[in-house]
Amino acid sequence: SIVGFQPQQLTIGLAGEPIKGLSLAVDVTWKEYSEYVTYLDVKPIPPFEDTFVPRFGVEYAFDPGFSSRWLEWMALISVRAGYYFEPTPVSTANKSHNIFDTDQDVVSTGFQIDFPFMQGRILNSIEAYFQYHILRDRHIENDEDDYFGPADLGGHVINVGATITTRF
């Protein structure tokens, strides 16, 4: 039996458009991991720590004004970039455990192309994104576990996606 845990979260953010088409955003999310319990309904020793996740993002949207009949369908192009830091909730106080988690830096980029359909009565868009998760190096002694010995953590994760949306 595995119990899924999602911490309570609170996000506060600010976004603005300092010049036409340029949007900037910043926010921070508090995640209450200190309430985490294992599938045996007990807290790990030491217990998980609450985390704060800062995020920054930028988007630039513009009308490309293409006159070519092959490209005139593009009404708006948006390019995006962002960064956030996700700290591990696993305490660094005790290195004798087998909870393999580490801090991560995440950078992302993406775009959106809007195009009208049926003389503007229906708006369609294509979106795509790319995220690169950099898992920070971390060593766990793990000397009290008979099955898992010491471990070195780190690496990276790549995440990509795309959507096509129709708005009526």
Side-chain angles (χ1 to χ4, degrees):
S1 173
I2 296 176
V3 176
F5 177 80
Q6 290 296 321
Q8 290 191 69
Q9 301 180 31
L10 176 65
T11 301
I12 297 173
L14 182 64
E17 188 176 9
I19 60 174
K20 183 174 173 33
L22 179 66
S23 298
L24 304 173
V26 61
D27 69 46
V28 64
T29 300
W30 164 77
K31 296 183 178 185
E32 189 180 26
Y33 278 107
S34 58
E35 294 301 313
Y36 172 78
V37 293
T38 68
Y39 64 93
L40 298 173
D41 204 28
V42 296
K43 289 188 176 197
I45 299 172
F48 283 7
E49 300 168 344
D50 292 350
T51 63
F52 289 91
V53 180
R55 291 182 183 85
F56 308 94
V58 61
E59 175 186 74
Y60 182 66
F62 60 95
D63 179 351
F66 293 132
S67 58
S68 163
R69 69 182 181 118
W70 299 105
L71 299 174
E72 67 185 2
W73 56 271
M74 293 184 200
L76 187 70
I77 297 176
S78 303
V79 290
R80 302 172 177 143
Y83 167 82
Y84 69 90
F85 171 69
E86 179 93 31
T88 178
V90 178
S91 173
T92 57
N94 184 347
K95 295 182 183 283
S96 299
H97 55 72
N98 65 356
I99 301 172
F100 301 136
D101 195 31
T102 185
D103 297 337
Q104 61 179 316
D105 296 282
V106 181
V107 293
S108 61
T109 187
F111 70 88
Q112 177 175 322
I113 301 173
D114 291 345
F115 53 97
F117 184 68
M118 295 176 58
Q119 275 120 17
R121 289 181 286 178
I122 298 176
L123 181 65
N124 296 305
S125 64
I126 298 171
E127 284 184 89
Y129 71 90
F130 173 85
Q131 282 187 332
Y132 186 66
H133 299 242
I134 302 160
L135 307 177
R136 292 188 179 181
D137 292 340
R138 183 173 182 181
H139 179 77
I140 297 175
E141 293 298 329
N142 208 21
D143 54 8
E144 297 175 7
D145 192 306
D146 295 332
Y147 300 105
F148 300 101
D152 289 311
L153 311 179
H156 65 272
V157 175
I158 294 174
N159 185 14
V160 295
T163 62
I164 298 174
T165 304
T166 298
R167 298 171 193 87
F168 298 95

